[in-house]
């Protein structure tokens, strides 16, 4: 499976709500996350190291917002990097 196929597969898994499938595929994630340099940050803006952090990320994201639509298109790969254009729509849960 190429990196582009993997990323596409992960977006499809998210759309069907299969978070355990996604978390299993991250393996020994060393360094990732959301970098936000604002005074107020969303609950899912934190560095990710390892599968437990990936699970925490999705708990925070889906705990705060309900995914309405998520479509990844125009996936392009360059070695280990994959870039995707994503169209998304979310409903904010009660705050």
């Amino acid at each position: 499976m190429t990196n582009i196929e993997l990323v596409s597969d992960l977006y499809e898994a998210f759309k069907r709500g299969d978070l355990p499938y996604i978390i299993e595929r991250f393996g020994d994630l060393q360094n990732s996350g959301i970098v936000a340099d604002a005074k107020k940050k969303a609950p899912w803006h934190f560095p990710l190291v390892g599968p437990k952090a990936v699970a925490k990320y999705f708990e925070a994201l889906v705990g705060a917002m309900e995914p309405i639509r998520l479509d990844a298109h125009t996936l392009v790969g360059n070695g280990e990097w994959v870039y995707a254009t994503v169209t998304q729509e979310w409903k904010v849960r009660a705050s």
Side-chain angles (χ1 to χ4, degrees):
M1 178 179 288
T2 68
N3 287 342
I4 292 174
E5 291 168 335
L6 174 63
V7 170
S8 179
D9 187 46
L10 293 174
Y11 276 112
E12 289 301 316
F14 184 80
K15 286 168 52 173
R16 66 177 182 267
D18 194 352
L19 296 181
Y21 179 87
I22 295 169
I23 293 164
E24 287 173 15
R25 269 120 196 104
F26 272 89
D28 294 327
L29 181 69
Q30 295 300 314
N31 187 15
S32 187
I34 307 284
V35 177
D37 207 14
K39 291 181 182 179
K40 291 187 178 183
K41 296 180 183 178
W44 56 90
H45 286 184
F46 55 84
L48 301 176
V49 178
K52 288 182 181 178
V54 174
K56 183 179 172 187
Y57 167 81
F58 282 111
E59 286 172 10
L61 178 65
V62 177
M65 300 189 306
E66 176 186 353
I68 304 299
R69 183 177 76 144
L70 184 73
D71 296 315
H73 45 89
T74 317
L75 278 76
V76 178
N78 184 6
E80 66 182 38
W81 297 97
V82 175
Y83 303 90
T85 302
V86 180
T87 302
Q88 50 190 322
E89 182 179 352
W90 298 81
K91 179 181 177 185
V92 176
R93 299 185 193 278
S95 56

